[in-house]
Amino acid sequence: MIKSIFGFLLIASILFLNACSIGGARTHMLSIDNDGGKADARLKQIIKAINNQDKNSIKNMFSNQAKNKTEDLDGQIDYLFVFVQGKIESWETIVHGATAESINNGSRIKGSNSWYYIYTDKQKYLIFLVECTIDTDHPENVGMYVIQVMKAEDKDKYFHGGGPDTLPAGIDIPDGSTVTTT
């Protein structure tokens, strides 16, 4: 009797542990959209561009929609390079790839919001990214919409986690954040 119960539990455990991978269902679910991984990859691109002061790389990350809505993206990028003091050495995820998606009459729109701390040899910053990752009807909307950067100590003062409806397109460094060049 005990051997039968033990055998039944063993078989049930094996089936339970493998159930998600039968037919590749679990693998397929994990690979459909890796929003967190995509957000992390975007952050790494931004960090590399900031460290190299590569204006064109940052500019090319923005959607055409954001570029058209931004008055002085070149000036904003220049200010970003001055504002972020030191070389970015590491980063920490707060939220990566939080998505909102809508499908309406076959049209698909998907956006991603991500928050990170980035660390330089001089300062800790909060960086907030708003990006459209899919827009089947309007591909000009795909790309970065907002990069918001502030000193981490100013988070409670300026960060509200807003999206495209509450933040201006382009690079937002909230008023009151100061830049010191030394």
Side-chain angles (χ1 to χ4, degrees):
M1 179 70 172
I2 291 178
K3 286 183 180 181
S4 297
I5 293 172
F6 180 77
F8 174 76
L9 289 175
L10 181 63
I11 291 171
S13 296
I14 291 170
L15 289 174
F16 177 77
L17 291 173
N18 289 318
C20 290
S21 61
I22 293 174
R26 183 169 189 257
T27 306
H28 178 69
M29 284 176 20
L30 291 173
S31 66
I32 289 175
D33 285 324
N34 180 2
D35 297 315
K38 289 176 186 176
D40 289 351
R42 177 64 83 187
L43 176 70
K44 289 175 186 176
Q45 289 176 327
I46 291 169
I47 289 171
K48 182 178 179 183
I50 291 171
N51 281 340
N52 294 331
Q53 297 204 353
D54 184 348
K55 186 186 276 191
N56 286 330
S57 288
I58 290 182
K59 201 173 189 176
N60 290 334
M61 291 179 207
F62 281 93
S63 68
N64 288 336
Q65 175 200 30
K67 289 176 190 174
N68 291 335
K69 287 185 174 186
T70 305
E71 286 184 34
D72 184 16
L73 187 56
D74 287 322
Q76 291 175 357
I77 295 169
D78 290 338
Y79 188 64
L80 174 68
F81 292 157
V82 173
F83 182 76
V84 175
Q85 296 289 299
K87 181 178 174 150
I88 300 170
E89 298 175 336
S90 63
W91 55 277
E92 173 187 355
T93 302
I94 301 170
V95 173
H96 65 163
T99 60
E101 183 173 10
S102 67
I103 300 173
N104 191 9
N105 295 326
S107 299
R108 184 175 177 207
I109 299 172
K110 187 173 186 179
S112 173
N113 293 352
S114 304
W115 299 252
Y116 298 92
Y117 284 121
I118 56 175
Y119 301 89
T120 71
D121 53 349
K122 298 180 181 184
Q123 184 74 40
K124 177 181 176 182
Y125 299 91
L126 172 73
I127 185 167
F128 176 58
L129 310 175
V130 178
E131 181 170 15
C132 177
T133 57
I134 298 170
D135 190 332
T136 55
D137 287 350
H138 301 282
E140 69 275 8
N141 295 339
V142 174
M144 292 302 307
Y145 187 80
V146 176
I147 298 174
Q148 184 181 46
V149 181
M150 66 194 73
K151 292 180 180 177
E153 64 213 38
D154 293 335
K155 176 185 173 199
D156 292 336
K157 201 187 245 184
Y158 298 112
F159 180 68
H160 57 80
D165 297 330
T166 60
L167 289 170
I171 297 173
D172 181 50
I173 299 175
D175 293 334
S177 296
T178 57
V179 175
T180 55
T181 54
T182 53

